[in-house]
Amino acid sequence: MPIMRVGGYLLVPIQIDLDDRTVGRLQQQLLKEIERTRARAVILDVRMVEVIDSYISYTLSETAVMARLMGCRTVLCGIQPPVALTLAQMGVTLQEVAVARNLEHALVLAGSFQERDKGV
C-alpha cells in the first residue's frame, strides 16, 4: 500500500478493501514511516473502501493511538455512506481519529493540528 509524504504529513490512499492481514501490514508499515519521516499527521483516505468491519476499525483506532504516542495525529477521510452506516450500527467509535469529509478537509484538519501543537 503506498504511503506518500506530503509536506509534514503522510497520505495513505487505501484503494482496496481491507482484510485482517492487510490492515495489520498497513499498521506496521505506517508506524515505521512515522518514525522514519517524523510526520506530524497521517491522512488515511478510505473513499475507495466499501467495507470496514469491527476488527479493521479497531486496528485503525489502535494505529491512531500508537501514532499519537509517537507525536503524530491521524485523520480518516472519505468514508462512504454505507460504511458510515455500518460503523454507526455496530456502535464503533474511532479513538484518536479525526474524521474529514474529503481529502481537502483532511489537509485543513492536519494543518490545524500542527498549528495547535506549536502552541503547546
Side-chain angles (χ1 to χ4, degrees):
M1 199 163 306
I3 298 177
M4 300 175 278
R5 185 170 174 112
V6 178
Y9 317 130
L10 295 176
L11 172 61
V12 185
I14 301 173
Q15 300 174 350
I16 59 171
D17 281 328
L18 297 170
D19 57 34
D20 295 358
R21 192 169 141 189
T22 305
V23 78
R25 280 194 318 245
L26 172 62
Q27 182 183 62
Q28 292 174 353
Q29 185 181 2
L30 196 51
L31 294 172
K32 286 178 186 175
E33 283 300 302
I34 291 168
E35 180 182 31
R36 187 181 72 76
T37 64
R38 299 191 181 282
R40 302 293 295 158
V42 171
I43 299 171
L44 301 171
D45 185 350
V46 296
R47 70 183 145 189
M48 303 297 286
V49 177
E50 295 179 11
V51 176
I52 297 178
D53 64 21
S54 59
Y55 177 77
I56 292 169
S57 65
Y58 169 79
T59 305
L60 292 175
S61 287
E62 180 183 59
T63 304
V65 170
M66 292 174 185
R68 187 69 185 121
L69 289 169
M70 296 171 71
C72 184
R73 305 283 187 120
T74 302
V75 181
L76 186 67
C77 71
I79 296 177
Q80 296 301 314
V83 173
L85 177 64
T86 301
L87 292 174
Q89 288 174 337
M90 290 188 308
V92 170
T93 57
L94 300 170
Q95 296 187 12
E96 292 293 332
V97 177
V99 178
R101 293 180 299 278
N102 53 37
L103 183 55
E104 182 180 352
H105 184 215
L107 290 167
V108 170
L109 281 176
S112 72
F113 294 148
Q114 197 166 5
E115 288 302 314
R116 235 181 302 160
D117 290 345
K118 282 181 186 176
V120 174

mmCIF file of all heavy atoms in Angstrom, residues 19-49:
data_model
loop_
_atom_site.group_PDB
_atom_site.id
_atom_site.type_symbol
_atom_site.label_atom_id
_atom_site.label_comp_id
_atom_site.label_asym_id
_atom_site.label_seq_id
_atom_site.Cartn_x
_atom_site.Cartn_y
_atom_site.Cartn_z
ATOM 1 N N ASP A 19 -8.527 -6.369 4.605
ATOM 2 C CA ASP A 19 -8.806 -7.584 5.363
ATOM 3 C C ASP A 19 -7.881 -7.563 6.582
ATOM 4 O O ASP A 19 -7.053 -6.663 6.729
ATOM 5 C CB ASP A 19 -8.609 -8.848 4.512
ATOM 6 C CG ASP A 19 -7.214 -8.962 3.920
ATOM 7 O OD1 ASP A 19 -6.231 -8.538 4.567
ATOM 8 O OD2 ASP A 19 -7.091 -9.488 2.796
ATOM 9 N N ASP A 20 -8.024 -8.541 7.459
ATOM 10 C CA ASP A 20 -7.258 -8.546 8.711
ATOM 11 C C ASP A 20 -5.754 -8.503 8.460
ATOM 12 O O ASP A 20 -5.024 -7.765 9.133
ATOM 13 C CB ASP A 20 -7.608 -9.776 9.544
ATOM 14 C CG ASP A 20 -9.056 -9.773 10.010
ATOM 15 O OD1 ASP A 20 -9.780 -8.805 9.726
ATOM 16 O OD2 ASP A 20 -9.459 -10.755 10.659
ATOM 17 N N ARG A 21 -5.292 -9.266 7.510
ATOM 18 C CA ARG A 21 -3.859 -9.329 7.223
ATOM 19 C C ARG A 21 -3.332 -8.019 6.638
ATOM 20 O O ARG A 21 -2.292 -7.513 7.055
ATOM 21 C CB ARG A 21 -3.598 -10.485 6.260
ATOM 22 C CG ARG A 21 -2.158 -10.831 6.113
ATOM 23 C CD ARG A 21 -2.016 -12.132 5.372
ATOM 24 N NE ARG A 21 -0.873 -12.018 4.486
ATOM 25 C CZ ARG A 21 -0.554 -12.875 3.581
ATOM 26 N NH1 ARG A 21 -1.300 -13.932 3.387
ATOM 27 N NH2 ARG A 21 0.508 -12.708 2.848
ATOM 28 N N THR A 22 -4.086 -7.459 5.712
ATOM 29 C CA THR A 22 -3.673 -6.208 5.059
ATOM 30 C C THR A 22 -3.624 -5.059 6.053
ATOM 31 O O THR A 22 -2.693 -4.260 6.048
ATOM 32 C CB THR A 22 -4.633 -5.860 3.906
ATOM 33 O OG1 THR A 22 -4.691 -6.966 3.006
ATOM 34 C CG2 THR A 22 -4.169 -4.630 3.156
ATOM 35 N N VAL A 23 -4.628 -4.962 6.931
ATOM 36 C CA VAL A 23 -4.653 -3.861 7.888
ATOM 37 C C VAL A 23 -3.520 -4.014 8.908
ATOM 38 O O VAL A 23 -2.941 -3.023 9.356
ATOM 39 C CB VAL A 23 -6.045 -3.714 8.557
ATOM 40 C CG1 VAL A 23 -6.279 -4.740 9.635
ATOM 41 C CG2 VAL A 23 -6.238 -2.319 9.115
ATOM 42 N N GLY A 24 -3.147 -5.253 9.232
ATOM 43 C CA GLY A 24 -2.004 -5.478 10.119
ATOM 44 C C GLY A 24 -0.697 -5.029 9.488
ATOM 45 O O GLY A 24 0.142 -4.395 10.135
ATOM 46 N N ARG A 25 -0.532 -5.337 8.204
ATOM 47 C CA ARG A 25 0.674 -4.894 7.478
ATOM 48 C C ARG A 25 0.695 -3.373 7.362
ATOM 49 O O ARG A 25 1.744 -2.748 7.503
ATOM 50 C CB ARG A 25 0.730 -5.524 6.090
ATOM 51 C CG ARG A 25 1.232 -6.941 6.091
ATOM 52 C CD ARG A 25 1.600 -7.392 4.684
ATOM 53 N NE ARG A 25 0.639 -6.951 3.687
ATOM 54 C CZ ARG A 25 -0.138 -7.757 2.973
ATOM 55 N NH1 ARG A 25 -0.066 -9.052 3.105
ATOM 56 N NH2 ARG A 25 -0.980 -7.268 2.094
ATOM 57 N N LEU A 26 -0.467 -2.786 7.094
ATOM 58 C CA LEU A 26 -0.554 -1.326 6.996
ATOM 59 C C LEU A 26 -0.133 -0.694 8.315
ATOM 60 O O LEU A 26 0.620 0.282 8.331
ATOM 61 C CB LEU A 26 -1.971 -0.890 6.624
ATOM 62 C CG LEU A 26 -2.245 0.610 6.674
ATOM 63 C CD1 LEU A 26 -1.368 1.366 5.684
ATOM 64 C CD2 LEU A 26 -3.714 0.892 6.422
ATOM 65 N N GLN A 27 -0.592 -1.243 9.429
ATOM 66 C CA GLN A 27 -0.239 -0.710 10.745
ATOM 67 C C GLN A 27 1.277 -0.704 10.932
ATOM 68 O O GLN A 27 1.864 0.311 11.308
ATOM 69 C CB GLN A 27 -0.905 -1.533 11.844
ATOM 70 C CG GLN A 27 -0.635 -1.007 13.239
ATOM 71 C CD GLN A 27 -1.258 -1.884 14.299
ATOM 72 O OE1 GLN A 27 -0.909 -3.059 14.428
ATOM 73 N NE2 GLN A 27 -2.199 -1.322 15.046
ATOM 74 N N GLN A 28 1.917 -1.818 10.663
ATOM 75 C CA GLN A 28 3.365 -1.916 10.828
ATOM 76 C C GLN A 28 4.106 -0.952 9.906
ATOM 77 O O GLN A 28 5.028 -0.254 10.327
ATOM 78 C CB GLN A 28 3.834 -3.351 10.568
ATOM 79 C CG GLN A 28 3.374 -4.323 11.613
ATOM 80 C CD GLN A 28 3.740 -5.761 11.255
ATOM 81 O OE1 GLN A 28 4.218 -6.059 10.172
ATOM 82 N NE2 GLN A 28 3.509 -6.662 12.192
ATOM 83 N N GLN A 29 3.707 -0.919 8.645
ATOM 84 C CA GLN A 29 4.355 -0.050 7.662
ATOM 85 C C GLN A 29 4.190 1.420 8.038
ATOM 86 O O GLN A 29 5.135 2.207 7.963
ATOM 87 C CB GLN A 29 3.745 -0.326 6.282
ATOM 88 C CG GLN A 29 4.384 0.414 5.139
ATOM 89 C CD GLN A 29 3.684 0.096 3.812
ATOM 90 O OE1 GLN A 29 2.711 -0.642 3.747
ATOM 91 N NE2 GLN A 29 4.186 0.689 2.752
ATOM 92 N N LEU A 30 3.003 1.781 8.467
ATOM 93 C CA LEU A 30 2.718 3.173 8.812
ATOM 94 C C LEU A 30 3.530 3.632 10.011
ATOM 95 O O LEU A 30 4.100 4.723 10.010
ATOM 96 C CB LEU A 30 1.227 3.322 9.083
ATOM 97 C CG LEU A 30 0.641 4.710 9.102
ATOM 98 C CD1 LEU A 30 1.013 5.502 7.871
ATOM 99 C CD2 LEU A 30 -0.867 4.625 9.222
ATOM 100 N N LEU A 31 3.624 2.800 11.043
ATOM 101 C CA LEU A 31 4.395 3.168 12.227
ATOM 102 C C LEU A 31 5.880 3.339 11.890
ATOM 103 O O LEU A 31 6.530 4.255 12.392
ATOM 104 C CB LEU A 31 4.193 2.142 13.333
ATOM 105 C CG LEU A 31 2.766 2.089 13.899
ATOM 106 C CD1 LEU A 31 2.617 0.916 14.850
ATOM 107 C CD2 LEU A 31 2.374 3.397 14.559
ATOM 108 N N LYS A 32 6.395 2.506 11.015
ATOM 109 C CA LYS A 32 7.794 2.646 10.575
ATOM 110 C C LYS A 32 7.996 3.952 9.823
ATOM 111 O O LYS A 32 8.995 4.643 10.015
ATOM 112 C CB LYS A 32 8.198 1.468 9.685
ATOM 113 C CG LYS A 32 8.418 0.192 10.443
ATOM 114 C CD LYS A 32 8.776 -0.953 9.506
ATOM 115 C CE LYS A 32 8.854 -2.263 10.258
ATOM 116 N NZ LYS A 32 9.090 -3.414 9.367
ATOM 117 N N GLU A 33 7.035 4.311 8.968
ATOM 118 C CA GLU A 33 7.137 5.557 8.200
ATOM 119 C C GLU A 33 7.013 6.784 9.095
ATOM 120 O O GLU A 33 7.676 7.792 8.870
ATOM 121 C CB GLU A 33 6.085 5.602 7.090
ATOM 122 C CG GLU A 33 6.437 4.756 5.898
ATOM 123 C CD GLU A 33 7.736 5.189 5.244
ATOM 124 O OE1 GLU A 33 7.858 6.351 4.823
ATOM 125 O OE2 GLU A 33 8.654 4.348 5.152
ATOM 126 N N ILE A 34 6.170 6.720 10.114
ATOM 127 C CA ILE A 34 6.053 7.836 11.060
ATOM 128 C C ILE A 34 7.394 8.053 11.743
ATOM 129 O O ILE A 34 7.872 9.183 11.867
ATOM 130 C CB ILE A 34 4.940 7.577 12.092
ATOM 131 C CG1 ILE A 34 3.569 7.621 11.429
ATOM 132 C CG2 ILE A 34 5.029 8.577 13.245
ATOM 133 C CD1 ILE A 34 2.438 7.104 12.294
ATOM 134 N N GLU A 35 8.010 6.968 12.173
ATOM 135 C CA GLU A 35 9.312 7.076 12.828
ATOM 136 C C GLU A 35 10.371 7.608 11.865
ATOM 137 O O GLU A 35 11.144 8.504 12.206
ATOM 138 C CB GLU A 35 9.739 5.715 13.373
ATOM 139 C CG GLU A 35 11.100 5.760 14.067
ATOM 140 C CD GLU A 35 11.539 4.402 14.558
ATOM 141 O OE1 GLU A 35 11.190 3.379 13.951
ATOM 142 O OE2 GLU A 35 12.259 4.382 15.566
ATOM 143 N N ARG A 36 10.383 7.080 10.656
ATOM 144 C CA ARG A 36 11.408 7.458 9.676
ATOM 145 C C ARG A 36 11.276 8.919 9.234
ATOM 146 O O ARG A 36 12.250 9.640 9.136
ATOM 147 C CB ARG A 36 11.332 6.540 8.453
ATOM 148 C CG ARG A 36 12.452 6.738 7.449
ATOM 149 C CD ARG A 36 12.308 5.820 6.248
ATOM 150 N NE ARG A 36 11.221 6.200 5.369
ATOM 151 C CZ ARG A 36 11.268 7.228 4.512
ATOM 152 N NH1 ARG A 36 12.340 7.984 4.437
ATOM 153 N NH2 ARG A 36 10.244 7.506 3.738
ATOM 154 N N THR A 37 10.039 9.366 8.995
ATOM 155 C CA THR A 37 9.823 10.699 8.431
ATOM 156 C C THR A 37 9.534 11.772 9.478
ATOM 157 O O THR A 37 9.529 12.951 9.155
ATOM 158 C CB THR A 37 8.645 10.678 7.442
ATOM 159 O OG1 THR A 37 7.444 10.351 8.159
ATOM 160 C CG2 THR A 37 8.884 9.697 6.316
ATOM 161 N N ARG A 38 9.218 11.341 10.705
ATOM 162 C CA ARG A 38 8.805 12.261 11.765
ATOM 163 C C ARG A 38 7.578 13.085 11.353
ATOM 164 O O ARG A 38 7.461 14.278 11.644
ATOM 165 C CB ARG A 38 9.945 13.180 12.191
ATOM 166 C CG ARG A 38 11.148 12.443 12.740
ATOM 167 C CD ARG A 38 12.112 13.410 13.381
ATOM 168 N NE ARG A 38 13.302 12.791 13.900
ATOM 169 C CZ ARG A 38 13.385 12.120 15.040
ATOM 170 N NH1 ARG A 38 12.322 11.953 15.774
ATOM 171 N NH2 ARG A 38 14.532 11.608 15.445
ATOM 172 N N ALA A 39 6.666 12.423 10.666
ATOM 173 C CA ALA A 39 5.443 13.081 10.201
ATOM 174 C C ALA A 39 4.630 13.583 11.389
ATOM 175 O O ALA A 39 4.622 12.975 12.450
ATOM 176 C CB ALA A 39 4.611 12.102 9.371
ATOM 177 N N ARG A 40 3.940 14.697 11.181
ATOM 178 C CA ARG A 40 3.110 15.292 12.229
ATOM 179 C C ARG A 40 1.667 14.800 12.142
ATOM 180 O O ARG A 40 0.912 14.914 13.089
ATOM 181 C CB ARG A 40 3.131 16.820 12.126
ATOM 182 C CG ARG A 40 4.534 17.412 12.218
ATOM 183 C CD ARG A 40 5.176 17.241 13.556
ATOM 184 N NE ARG A 40 4.425 17.997 14.557
ATOM 185 C CZ ARG A 40 4.465 17.747 15.848
ATOM 186 N NH1 ARG A 40 5.197 16.775 16.308
ATOM 187 N NH2 ARG A 40 3.762 18.458 16.697
ATOM 188 N N ALA A 41 1.274 14.284 10.966
ATOM 189 C CA ALA A 41 -0.092 13.773 10.797
ATOM 190 C C ALA A 41 -0.104 12.694 9.719
ATOM 191 O O ALA A 41 0.714 12.710 8.807
ATOM 192 C CB ALA A 41 -1.054 14.894 10.417
ATOM 193 N N VAL A 42 -1.048 11.776 9.876
ATOM 194 C CA VAL A 42 -1.300 10.729 8.884
ATOM 195 C C VAL A 42 -2.725 10.920 8.391
ATOM 196 O O VAL A 42 -3.644 11.092 9.196
ATOM 197 C CB VAL A 42 -1.168 9.328 9.509
ATOM 198 C CG1 VAL A 42 -1.641 8.254 8.537
ATOM 199 C CG2 VAL A 42 0.242 9.057 9.947
ATOM 200 N N ILE A 43 -2.889 10.914 7.078
ATOM 201 C CA ILE A 43 -4.220 11.014 6.481
ATOM 202 C C ILE A 43 -4.511 9.685 5.796
ATOM 203 O O ILE A 43 -3.800 9.289 4.874
ATOM 204 C CB ILE A 43 -4.297 12.175 5.473
ATOM 205 C CG1 ILE A 43 -4.013 13.498 6.188
ATOM 206 C CG2 ILE A 43 -5.660 12.174 4.790
ATOM 207 C CD1 ILE A 43 -3.849 14.679 5.254
ATOM 208 N N LEU A 44 -5.537 8.996 6.287
ATOM 209 C CA LEU A 44 -5.974 7.734 5.692
ATOM 210 C C LEU A 44 -7.186 8.037 4.816
ATOM 211 O O LEU A 44 -8.258 8.384 5.321
ATOM 212 C CB LEU A 44 -6.348 6.722 6.776
ATOM 213 C CG LEU A 44 -5.252 6.362 7.767
ATOM 214 C CD1 LEU A 44 -5.826 5.531 8.913
ATOM 215 C CD2 LEU A 44 -4.139 5.608 7.071
ATOM 216 N N ASP A 45 -7.028 7.928 3.506
ATOM 217 C CA ASP A 45 -8.099 8.213 2.555
ATOM 218 C C ASP A 45 -8.780 6.896 2.201
ATOM 219 O O ASP A 45 -8.211 6.061 1.494
ATOM 220 C CB ASP A 45 -7.519 8.885 1.320
ATOM 221 C CG ASP A 45 -8.577 9.330 0.330
ATOM 222 O OD1 ASP A 45 -9.762 8.959 0.489
ATOM 223 O OD2 ASP A 45 -8.218 10.039 -0.629
ATOM 224 N N VAL A 46 -10.012 6.707 2.691
ATOM 225 C CA VAL A 46 -10.724 5.440 2.511
ATOM 226 C C VAL A 46 -11.907 5.550 1.543
ATOM 227 O O VAL A 46 -12.798 4.704 1.565
ATOM 228 C CB VAL A 46 -11.204 4.874 3.874
ATOM 229 C CG1 VAL A 46 -10.032 4.537 4.773
ATOM 230 C CG2 VAL A 46 -12.157 5.829 4.563
ATOM 231 N N ARG A 47 -11.901 6.528 0.665
ATOM 232 C CA ARG A 47 -13.058 6.722 -0.213
ATOM 233 C C ARG A 47 -13.305 5.544 -1.145
ATOM 234 O O ARG A 47 -14.419 5.359 -1.626
ATOM 235 C CB ARG A 47 -12.937 8.019 -0.996
ATOM 236 C CG ARG A 47 -11.873 7.982 -2.048
ATOM 237 C CD ARG A 47 -11.716 9.273 -2.763
ATOM 238 N NE ARG A 47 -10.285 9.386 -3.038
ATOM 239 C CZ ARG A 47 -9.716 10.428 -3.499
ATOM 240 N NH1 ARG A 47 -10.409 11.500 -3.729
ATOM 241 N NH2 ARG A 47 -8.431 10.438 -3.720
ATOM 242 N N MET A 48 -12.294 4.721 -1.419
ATOM 243 C CA MET A 48 -12.458 3.561 -2.294
ATOM 244 C C MET A 48 -12.827 2.291 -1.523
ATOM 245 O O MET A 48 -13.088 1.255 -2.114
ATOM 246 C CB MET A 48 -11.172 3.304 -3.087
ATOM 247 C CG MET A 48 -10.708 4.473 -3.928
ATOM 248 S SD MET A 48 -11.865 4.927 -5.222
ATOM 249 C CE MET A 48 -11.609 3.608 -6.363
ATOM 250 N N VAL A 49 -12.860 2.382 -0.205
ATOM 251 C CA VAL A 49 -13.121 1.209 0.632
ATOM 252 C C VAL A 49 -14.626 1.034 0.811
ATOM 253 O O VAL A 49 -15.325 1.955 1.211
ATOM 254 C CB VAL A 49 -12.421 1.347 2.007
ATOM 255 C CG1 VAL A 49 -12.750 0.173 2.908
ATOM 256 C CG2 VAL A 49 -10.922 1.482 1.813
#
